[in-house]
Amino acid sequence: MELDPKYDHYDYPTTAPVAKPGHPGHLTDAQQAQVHQLRMMLETEGYTKRLDTLTLLRFLRARKFDVNLSKKMFVDCEKWRKSILYAGQPLKIDGRTIELDGEIGEWDKDGSFKRKVSKWYPQYYHKTDKDGRPVYIEQLGKIDLTAMKNEGIEYEHMLTNLAVEYEKMADPRLPACSRKSGHLLETSCTIMDFNGVGFSNARQVFGYIQEASGMSQNYYPERLGRMYLINTNWLFTGVWRMVRPLLDPVTVEKIHVLGGSYQKELLAQIPAENLPKEFGGSCECEGGCSLSNAGPWCDAEFAKPAWWEKKGDAIENTPTEMGTGEGTAATADTTVAEGAEATEPAPAAA
C-alpha cells in the first residue's frame, strides 16, 4: 500500500491482519488509484484535514469504492464536525455551538461527567478482545433520561459525549491496540446489554440507539468489528426481525443476537480476564470496570499522545501542492474499483 508523505505520518502498523480487498495493505492498483483521486478531489475543494490514506480508505469502503459517493460522505462528515446536528439544528450546550475538533480535548477533562452519567447509563471501553480490539460496553436497560435531566444532563450532552468517545476510540485507543497487536486494528468489539429494557423504557432506549446508529453510520464508517446483543427479549426480537432484512448482509454477519445465554460466545471472543464479571468474565477492576478505562491506551508501552493532544500530526494537515502524490495522474477516470463489494457502512454505535 502506498503511503503519502504529506499526510501519512503513522506511528503504528498500517497493514490489516486479514487480506480482504480494499483493506489497508491489500489494495488493488485500481483501489490505490482511487485513494489518490479522492484525496485530489478533496484538496481541490480546500480540505486539508483527515486526508490520510487509512481515513480515505474507510470512506471508500463504506461506499463500495464509488469515489463520488465517498467524497459526498466525507464532505458531509466535515460539515457535521463543524456543527453537530440534533433534530436538524446545530447542537448547542449553554448557548455554545459544538465544534467537534475543538471539543475533544476539552470535554470532561476531570471525568466528572462520566462518573455522573454512569449511574443511569453505563457506557465504557474496557480492555480488548482476542483479536486485540477495544471492547465497548453499553448497558441500555439502565438508561434513565429523566434522572439524567434532573442532574443537568441533557440529550445534547449525551450526543456530544458519544461523538467525543468515537474520536477517542479512533485515537488514542485503536493506535495503542495496533501497537500492542503488531498489526492494524480499525474496529471495536461491542457488547450491548438489553437487560432491563421493556415497555416502560423502550422508547428512550430505541430513540437513543437510533441517534447513535445514525452518527456511527454517517460519520464513523467501518468502525464495527463485532457486536453482541445480549439479554434481548421478545420485544427486541420482533424489532430485529423487521430490521434485519434491511441491513447489508456483511453488517448482519457482524451482529450476534444472543438473548440470555451469551456467556459462552462472549468468552470465545473476549478473554475471561478482560470481561467484567457481571457478563461472565473474571475482571473486577478496582472502583468498577465501567470507570477504569483499562486497556493498552493507558499502558505506557503502547500509549502515545492522540492527534488532538499535539500539533503537526498525521490527521490535522496544512495545504500543500495538489496532485503530487505518486499515481495521481492515473486516477482521472477511475470511479469504481475492483473489490467494491468488500464492505459496508458501519451500522451502529461502536
Side-chain angles (χ1 to χ4, degrees):
M1 180 177 74
E2 292 180 25
L3 295 181
D4 190 304
K6 295 183 294 180
Y7 300 107
D8 297 338
H9 308 149
Y10 307 117
D11 57 4
Y12 52 89
T14 57
T15 298
V18 180
K20 293 182 179 180
H23 286 251
H26 311 289
L27 304 183
T28 65
D29 290 341
Q31 290 167 342
Q32 186 71 64
Q34 287 177 296
V35 174
H36 292 306
Q37 183 189 7
L38 177 57
R39 181 182 288 123
M40 183 173 63
M41 292 167 69
L42 292 168
E43 283 183 319
T44 300
E45 294 196 10
Y47 290 97
T48 61
K49 297 180 180 180
R50 288 170 281 277
L51 299 185
D52 62 287
T53 299
L54 296 181
T55 296
L56 297 184
L57 274 173
R58 287 193 300 106
F59 281 87
L60 284 164
R61 292 199 306 273
R63 290 297 176 258
K64 313 297 185 186
F65 276 83
D66 183 307
V67 174
N68 290 321
L69 291 179
S70 301
K71 173 178 173 287
K72 181 181 185 306
M73 187 182 194
F74 184 97
V75 170
D76 288 346
C77 179
E78 288 298 304
K79 291 178 180 177
W80 173 80
R81 295 180 71 92
K82 291 183 180 298
S83 180
I84 297 176
L85 296 180
Y86 169 51
Q89 299 296 320
L91 191 151
K92 295 184 178 182
I93 295 178
D94 299 327
R96 176 174 57 88
T97 300
I98 299 300
E99 190 272 324
L100 187 54
D101 282 5
E103 197 70 33
I104 304 167
E106 299 300 318
W107 182 259
D108 196 27
K109 276 187 171 181
D110 62 359
S112 59
F113 178 86
K114 184 174 183 65
R115 289 192 295 272
K116 186 184 293 186
V117 80
S118 288
K119 292 185 291 184
W120 300 290
Y121 183 13
Q123 45 180 180
Y124 56 99
Y125 287 91
H126 183 265
K127 300 187 177 180
T128 57
D129 69 1
K130 291 182 179 179
D131 294 318
R133 296 175 295 206
V135 174
Y136 177 65
I137 300 171
E138 289 197 10
Q139 293 179 269
L140 296 162
K142 295 186 178 182
I143 290 180
D144 190 335
L145 296 180
T146 301
M148 286 191 281
K149 189 170 184 177
N150 290 337
E151 288 286 329
I153 301 173
E154 302 286 350
Y155 212 67
E156 290 84 349
H157 295 94
M158 295 299 296
L159 292 179
T160 300
N161 186 68
L162 180 65
V164 169
E165 283 300 314
Y166 274 133
E167 292 295 323
K168 291 182 178 180
M169 179 187 76
D171 194 7
R173 290 188 176 100
L174 285 171
C177 291
S178 297
R179 295 183 195 106
K180 183 174 182 178
S181 68
H183 53 251
L184 178 66
L185 293 168
E186 297 186 286
T187 62
S188 65
C189 176
T190 298
I191 299 172
M192 305 284 275
D193 180 14
F194 285 79
N195 185 35
V197 176
F199 278 116
S200 62
N201 60 356
R203 186 173 181 179
Q204 292 186 82
V205 170
F206 290 113
Y208 183 79
I209 288 177
Q210 185 176 19
E211 290 281 355
S213 297
M215 186 183 293
S216 173
Q217 180 171 328
N218 294 327
Y219 309 123
Y220 296 96
E222 297 290 302
R223 286 305 193 195
L224 180 67
R226 285 176 178 262
M227 176 177 283
Y228 296 96
L229 309 180
I230 65 174
N231 290 315
T232 53
N233 56 23
W234 63 269
L235 181 63
F236 175 85
T237 302
V239 174
W240 176 244
R241 285 174 180 168
M242 292 186 290
V243 172
R244 179 171 177 163
L246 305 177
L247 299 176
D248 187 294
V250 181
T251 298
V252 173
E253 187 179 346
K254 297 177 180 180
I255 300 175
H256 306 263
V257 182
L258 303 182
S261 301
Y262 59 82
Q263 288 87 353
K264 183 178 180 179
E265 191 158 349
L266 284 188
L267 289 169
Q269 183 62 34
I270 304 170
E273 62 271 21
N274 289 358
L275 184 65
K277 190 173 183 178
E278 64 183 303
F279 301 116
S282 59
C283 187
E284 295 182 277
C285 293
E286 183 177 352
C289 292
S290 64
L291 296 174
S292 71
N293 194 34
W297 49 90
C298 291
D299 187 329
E301 183 179 354
F302 308 110
K304 293 187 178 183
W307 72 265
W308 42 269
E309 296 177 293
K310 59 184 180 178
K311 295 182 179 179
D313 55 277
I315 300 178
E316 190 123 14
N317 300 290
T318 56
T320 58
E321 297 86 5
M322 293 180 294
T324 59
E326 181 181 352
T328 52
T331 65
D333 298 318
T334 310
T335 53
V336 179
E338 301 167 23
E341 74 286 356
T343 54
E344 78 305 339

